[in-house]
Amino acid sequence: MTGSRPFAPTDDDLSQCVRCGLCLEHCPTYAETRLETQSPRGRLYLIRAISDGVIEPTPNALGHLDSCLQCRNCEAVCPSGVPYGRIMEQARADALGRGAAPFSWRLRALFLREVIARPGRLRMFAAALRASQRVGLLSLAQRLRFVGTSATLAPRTRGQPFTDTGLIARPEGEERARVAMLSGCIMPLAYGDVHRATARVLARNGCAVSAPAAQGCCGALHAHNGDLDTARALARRNIDAFLNEAPDAIVVNSAGCAAAMKEYGDLLTGDAAYRDRAREMSALVKDVHEYLVGLPFEAPTETLDLSVTYQDPCHLAHAQRISAAPRQVLNAIPGLRLAEMEDADRCCGAAGVYSFTQAEMSIRLLDEKMLDALNTGADVIATANPGCLAQLEAGVRRGGGRARVRHVIELLDRAYSATGI
Amino acid sequence: MPLSGEISTASPLFDRARARLAPVAASLIKDLQSAIGVKHVLHAPEDLLVYEYDATIERGLPEAVVLPETTAEVAAAVRVAKRHGVPVTARGSGTGLSGGAIPCEGGIVIVTARMDRILKLDPANRLAVVQPGVINLDISKAAAPHGLYYAPDPSSQKACSIGGNVAQNAGGPHTLRYGSTVNHVLGLEIVTPDGDIVTLGGEALGAPGYDLTGLVVGSEGTLAIVTAVVVRLLPQAQATITLLAVFDEVRQASEAVSAIIAAGVLPAALEMIDGKTMQAVEPFVNAGYPPDADAALLIEVEGLEEETSEQAEAVRATCEVSGAREIRIGMSPDEREKLWAGRKGALGALGRLAPSYYILDGVVPRTRLPDVLSGVYEACERYDMPVANVFHAGDGNLHPNLMFDDRVPGAAERVLELGEEIMRLCVDAGGSITGEHGVGFEKRNYMSWIFSDDDLAVMARVKSAFGAEERFNPGKVFPSSKGCGEVSSRMKTAIAKIGPDAYV
């Protein structure tokens, strides 16, 4: 069956689903629409039906697959262990591969491949975005029909871009480890401050931190969108870039990137030349909070008199199953009060490029998230992924109160250095 | 597990779907659209396909699916169905285990998933009024701040709807002490097959006259469609203790079940998990189940603090006498939840062992458990079919899970054959064909093992009294030779009459 369709999900993966329905209430799109077609169980059934030729990959059917956030909440709660994330990526790859994907979907793949994956073009794109932000073009666009929602959700840049490579921070005190840091694609342009904070925090904890110059985008967005070829090419580039430095760990402050990099082994399982190194690489990848807790990190002494609520990035809580470590970091900060929101691990609607491709659903999820966040009365909404940061900032811009949005590591950095946030 | 037989390249899974993905009369769709809005009427093949299943292995494709939000919309959809002469099947979350929500004869599926509001929470009178699409666990969540909860707790309680619970008279681990759904429903709002809205029972206890509420609970959607439910809420127990007793042999565990009750303890729950199940569950939940044990009992006692610790002690002593090799006690909510996690996640975890499972639901007198269980294991061995048992031992409510590969031609038939043999074992031991999953499509032909033709004729007259005939959930509960999802003669005629041009 997979002979002529190299990307199609395997029968073994698909048959893991026994349709028990325990995923339903954990699916953000099912919660919103109450439609079985927009539930994990329904989507798996559609994928299997398309695979078996029972239904055609019509725009309607593919639309149901496309409306999936790939937040993998379902995967985390699935008692049968259905590898939903992998299946969805392969199903999308199959649709793209056989030319069935709608135009907008292919256009997106093109943008991801030709802009996001290419540092030079991405910098130009970011500069244009930055300029339109500065001259007020984005705020203007927010008021327009059709593009208004996307303009609202478009990420705003904060601080200077992060362009450092090589050894970017020396350990304070005795060297405990040599770590390499992922710079990524959008993160260094939009959230340079977070990268600098991460480097300082790691250095403070005895790490020599490097940012390999040859690295690039992790390929997560490409894989999620079904462009597995590009995702694999990017993975290979990063494997070369990082393993050549032989670091003790590869530390990543973006949940989506770490999740993807931890799955390089899986992604390149069919690549004889890279399979082993991909596994080696995946084993070295650590989410920054996971890494700090494992060190363990030094407790900060400066007080941050703040009420903070934490939004679990899906690809941290569900894909990597890490939810305690970021909270441990926050709770270690003197004076900081962690005020948990309802359903902290429900997707905020960012989901990579979802906020642009499915703006309406994205906004619905965002508004609910903001309501939950604001109900805690927190001064700061903390999270750990660039997509979530941008989305929650958009939520605040949409009138979601005065809360500030910060990466957890930024807060820890401040608690080490005693400057205001 | 060994999966014998070869896997065919074309899965037989969708065979019936292929046959049934036939176009549908345009006028039916149009009328439904004007009744409840275009947006909430589904008719594209790929939208209908996902309503052909529930958590069983049966399939049946609807001609249209509607998702009403109000009782009035349900009634309107039912009237459209009546006018067009098509059957109606109600569906909640589709987590049922007897094929109850599958439209065996096509027609309209009314999905209650959008009717998910808690209409009223009345802590003083300890009740709640909820729409049928409300998720079972959400009632307890809403009641928790008042120290109350909704007692029936099917293992799917995080996903199953209260409407589905009412239809199947759902039980759960705590049925042993608190009873099943019927004991916790005070009143219902229903839509009749004629599209009338009727209220049964109410918020006060002890309604005079016939207990029509009790009649509709467990009627599996064949008499009425429930559009609102008045549920009883119970105060949370002051103290709860959960024990896990591990045994080397299934027989020891099943004997301990009767011994515990005989010792004068009525646990809130008394569950058995066999070795196969523990092995499946352990990697997923890390409940700490020993890999080599043959069976474990999960026992929960609750009540006032002093009484509870006394009961826990009695349970512990009884299990020791019965030969338990290890007993763990969970006092804190975290510890207890961990002990329970393996039980609640068991069903789905079995999906790790085989592509499909078929879960049976039979009841035997508690004292017959050891013998019937041996019979179950013996039969499964004879069929060379892996089986995992995880069930409500205190109620004598067995749930053998037969594991197989639905892609192997003939596998499903063999499973059904074995299932029938096991159900026969239960009935012969003086038991019944369903404890809590309902008869549905799956077990309708076993009804005649328990009921005479006269009994069944009386039931059919009850159905007639509601005006239901074959309009609500046809093909369920009553014996019939027709297979689920077979194109009915009614549909064939309808399709032939309208002609290909009239399809949407």
Side-chain angles (χ1 to χ4, degrees):
Chain A
M1 200 184 313
T2 51
S4 57
R5 292 167 39 208
F7 299 117
T10 68
D11 210 33
D12 281 344
D13 277 356
L14 284 171
S15 65
Q16 286 280 310
C17 176
V18 291
R19 293 173 304 282
C20 67
L22 288 182
C23 53
L24 295 176
E25 294 301 314
H26 294 273
C27 175
T29 55
Y30 179 76
E32 286 295 315
T33 63
R34 313 307 285 173
L35 289 168
E36 184 77 19
T37 43
Q38 309 250 328
S39 76
R41 178 174 66 174
R43 289 184 177 117
L44 287 168
Y45 204 72
L46 288 178
I47 291 170
R48 194 164 174 182
I50 291 172
S51 219
D52 283 12
V54 175
I55 55 168
E56 291 299 311
T58 61
N60 181 27
L62 293 180
H64 296 317
L65 306 190
D66 201 28
S67 71
C68 171
L69 294 146
Q70 296 173 297
C71 69
R72 294 166 69 175
N73 200 334
C74 55
E75 190 173 318
V77 300
C78 175
S80 296
V82 175
Y84 182 90
R86 179 164 72 208
I87 292 173
M88 182 54 76
E89 286 179 1
Q90 290 172 340
R92 290 182 178 194
D94 185 42
L96 272 177
R98 55 153 100 174
F103 177 69
S104 62
W105 195 337
R106 280 179 282 145
L107 194 67
R108 191 193 325 162
L110 189 74
F111 173 75
L112 290 174
R113 190 170 62 237
E114 300 302 330
V115 179
I116 299 288
R118 292 169 184 263
R121 291 181 192 168
L122 182 60
R123 269 198 299 277
M124 271 159 46
F125 181 73
L129 211 61
R130 204 178 267 268
S132 49
Q133 179 182 336
R134 204 165 39 233
V135 301
L137 212 59
L138 271 182
S139 343
L140 196 69
Q142 266 170 244
R143 296 194 212 112
L144 300 176
R145 278 180 73 185
F146 304 121
V147 295
T149 317
S150 296
T152 305
L153 294 177
R156 307 302 200 260
T157 55
R158 182 139 59 71
Q160 285 303 306
F162 175 89
T163 51
D164 302 353
T165 56
L167 183 68
I168 57 171
R170 290 177 197 284
E172 286 180 29
E174 197 187 331
E175 181 180 296
R176 294 163 79 186
R178 301 176 60 81
V179 304
M181 199 175 94
L182 176 81
S183 301
C185 51
I186 298 164
M187 189 98 179
L189 299 172
Y191 295 104
D193 284 351
V194 177
H195 274 353
R196 282 182 285 273
T198 304
R200 280 194 296 270
V201 163
L202 287 167
R204 169 75 175 235
N205 284 287
C207 296
V209 188
S210 70
Q215 64 166 312
C217 170
C218 69
L221 295 176
H222 308 81
H224 300 336
N225 196 45
D227 185 357
L228 291 176
D229 281 339
T230 305
R232 289 186 181 119
L234 293 171
R236 282 189 285 264
R237 181 171 76 185
N238 278 335
I239 290 167
D240 289 340
F242 281 95
L243 291 190
N244 284 349
E245 303 227 334
D248 296 326
I250 298 162
V251 178
V252 183
N253 58 16
S254 154
C257 305
M261 293 165 79
K262 285 181 176 180
E263 287 165 6
Y264 276 177
D266 212 19
L267 184 69
L268 292 172
T269 188
D271 182 337
Y274 271 87
R275 186 186 303 134
D276 294 340
R277 302 182 73 213
R279 290 204 187 112
E280 190 189 335
M281 165 105 177
S282 287
L284 285 174
V285 173
K286 295 278 178 275
D287 162 67
V288 63
H289 314 89
E290 175 189 24
Y291 186 70
L292 286 171
V293 167
L295 267 177
F297 67 105
E298 188 191 321
T301 49
E302 301 296 336
T303 298
L304 289 191
D305 182 20
L306 287 173
S307 165
V308 177
T309 192
Y310 175 67
Q311 142 73 14
D312 287 280
C314 297
H315 282 221
L316 194 54
H318 307 313
Q320 298 183 62
R321 315 280 162 96
I322 294 172
S323 53
R327 290 178 168 84
Q328 277 168 266
V329 170
L330 289 171
N331 280 324
I333 298 174
L336 187 150
R337 299 170 302 283
L338 182 60
E340 292 283 357
M341 67 174 99
E342 278 275 300
D343 297 326
D345 68 344
R346 194 193 57 230
C347 183
C348 65
V353 293
Y354 194 92
S355 52
F356 303 101
T357 59
Q358 306 274 345
E360 192 206 326
M361 176 63 76
S362 178
I363 289 270
R364 274 161 80 176
L365 295 172
L366 174 59
D367 288 349
E368 275 188 43
K369 179 57 69 184
M370 293 312 291
L371 211 61
D372 287 335
L374 297 179
N375 274 339
T376 64
D379 310 309
V380 174
I381 307 171
T383 189
N385 186 54
C388 311
L389 286 168
Q391 179 84 346
L392 295 167
E393 284 165 2
V396 173
R397 280 200 300 280
R398 270 174 64 78
R402 295 186 319 274
R404 281 158 295 175
V405 180
R406 291 291 181 268
H407 194 292
V408 172
I409 295 302
E410 288 183 282
L411 297 176
L412 180 61
D413 180 45
R414 301 301 151 90
Y416 279 141
S417 59
T419 51
I421 64 159
Chain B
M1 56 157 270
L3 292 173
S4 49
E6 61 171 16
I7 295 172
S8 71
T9 44
S11 156
L13 184 70
F14 290 111
D15 282 355
R16 274 178 287 182
R18 279 196 189 90
R20 289 295 311 281
L21 278 169
V24 171
S27 60
L28 172 66
I29 302 299
K30 210 182 288 167
D31 287 354
L32 285 171
Q33 286 174 337
S34 47
I36 69 163
V38 173
K39 201 179 160 198
H40 302 300
V41 177
L42 309 178
H43 56 83
E46 52 273 23
D47 288 335
L48 298 179
L49 189 67
V50 297
Y51 292 94
E52 72 160 356
Y53 59 73
D54 61 5
T56 62
I57 55 178
E58 298 299 339
R59 298 286 183 276
L61 202 66
E63 290 154 73
V65 172
V66 297
L67 293 106
E69 200 174 3
T70 63
T71 301
E73 287 179 352
V74 173
V78 167
R79 284 193 294 268
V80 171
K82 188 186 174 190
R83 206 157 60 236
H84 285 265
V86 297
V88 171
T89 301
R91 176 186 174 99
S93 301
T95 55
L97 293 165
S98 62
I102 294 178
C104 280
E105 297 187 13
I108 299 169
V109 165
I110 295 183
V111 181
T112 58
R114 288 179 65 239
M115 302 177 74
D116 61 350
R117 280 176 304 137
I118 293 177
L119 302 171
K120 175 176 170 182
L121 190 69
D122 182 351
N125 290 306
R126 289 185 180 165
L127 60 87
V129 183
V130 301
Q131 285 193 302
V134 170
I135 303 304
N136 173 302
L137 191 63
D138 287 347
I139 302 177
S140 290
K141 275 189 194 161
H146 307 282
L148 301 172
Y149 77 113
Y150 176 68
D153 58 341
S155 294
S156 57
Q157 72 180 138
K158 283 182 182 168
C160 63
S161 72
I162 192 72
N165 289 179
V166 168
Q168 307 301 111
N169 189 18
H174 290 84
T175 298
L176 175 61
R177 180 159 175 160
Y178 298 103
S180 57
T181 304
V182 70
N183 303 105
H184 300 270
V185 172
L186 297 171
L188 294 171
E189 178 189 71
I190 59 166
V191 169
T192 69
D194 287 330
D196 296 327
I197 299 165
V198 177
T199 304
L200 307 176
E203 297 184 7
L205 285 164
Y210 295 126
D211 180 12
L212 294 177
T213 307
L215 180 60
V216 170
V217 177
S219 64
E220 308 196 12
T222 60
L223 302 181
I225 293 176
V226 171
T227 50
V229 190
V230 186
V231 296
R232 217 143 67 104
L233 302 174
L234 299 186
Q236 292 165 346
Q238 194 188 64
T240 306
I241 300 176
T242 306
L243 299 94
L244 183 81
V246 181
F247 295 86
D248 284 328
E249 289 170 33
V250 173
R251 183 166 282 273
Q252 292 173 325
S254 42
E255 280 165 3
V257 171
S258 286
I260 289 167
I261 310 270
V265 179
L266 182 55
L270 178 41
E271 304 281 299
M272 194 190 294
I273 308 161
D274 77 355
K276 190 93 187 168
T277 312
M278 286 192 273
Q279 287 159 24
V281 169
E282 188 56 26
F284 175 58
V285 291
N286 300 312
Y289 293 145
D292 59 333
D294 239 17
L297 291 181
L298 191 62
I299 308 133
E300 189 155 284
V301 289
E302 61 182 32
L304 300 173
E305 247 162 62
E306 210 164 289
E307 159 199 10
T308 305
S309 40
E310 275 170 22
Q311 289 198 344
E313 182 46 38
V315 168
R316 199 188 56 77
T318 311
C319 286
E320 266 176 10
V321 171
S322 302
R325 76 172 200 204
E326 184 190 345
I327 294 169
R328 284 183 219 163
I329 298 180
M331 309 282 279
S332 72
D334 277 356
E335 289 167 354
R336 294 196 299 108
E337 196 182 331
K338 192 165 178 190
L339 291 177
W340 270 108
R343 170 63 184 94
K344 297 256 173 189
L347 205 52
L350 292 173
R352 290 166 184 263
L353 299 189
S356 287
Y357 60 71
Y358 180 56
I359 177 171
L360 299 166
D361 171 40
V363 182
V364 298
R366 202 157 36 223
T367 50
R368 298 296 306 275
L369 266 182
D371 293 339
V372 174
L373 265 180
S374 312
V376 169
Y377 285 114
E378 186 275 319
C380 293
E381 198 149 305
R382 197 154 22 82
Y383 275 77
D384 195 21
M385 187 82 70
V387 62
N389 281 289
V390 50
F391 61 99
H392 315 310
D395 293 321
N397 188 180
L398 291 169
H399 289 318
N401 293 276
L402 309 178
M403 290 174 279
F404 68 107
D405 189 339
D406 59 352
R407 298 166 296 179
V408 176
E413 287 74 12
R414 263 166 47 79
V415 164
L416 291 172
E417 204 179 300
L418 171 57
E420 179 168 339
E421 195 170 312
I422 291 171
M423 295 317 297
R424 192 78 234 186
L425 275 175
C426 295
V427 171
D428 290 347
S432 156
I433 57 169
T434 172
E436 54 182 5
H437 296 171
V439 177
F441 170 80
E442 227 176 54
K443 287 184 287 195
R444 55 189 187 156
N445 287 334
Y446 310 157
M447 286 287 274
S448 47
W449 297 350
I450 301 182
F451 299 107
S452 68
D453 287 351
D454 286 347
D455 294 335
L456 292 168
V458 171
M459 288 185 213
R461 273 158 64 194
V462 172
K463 199 169 158 187
S464 294
F466 274 77
E469 321 294 3
E470 288 305 306
R471 277 192 258 146
F472 273 5
N473 213 2
K476 310 292 169 65
V477 183
F478 291 89
S480 160
S481 58
K482 200 155 53 179
C484 186
E486 279 177 19
V487 180
S488 66
S489 55
R490 180 193 55 73
M491 257 194 83
K492 275 183 194 150
T493 331
I495 292 170
K497 200 159 64 189
I498 297 161
D501 295 333
Y503 299 152
V504 290

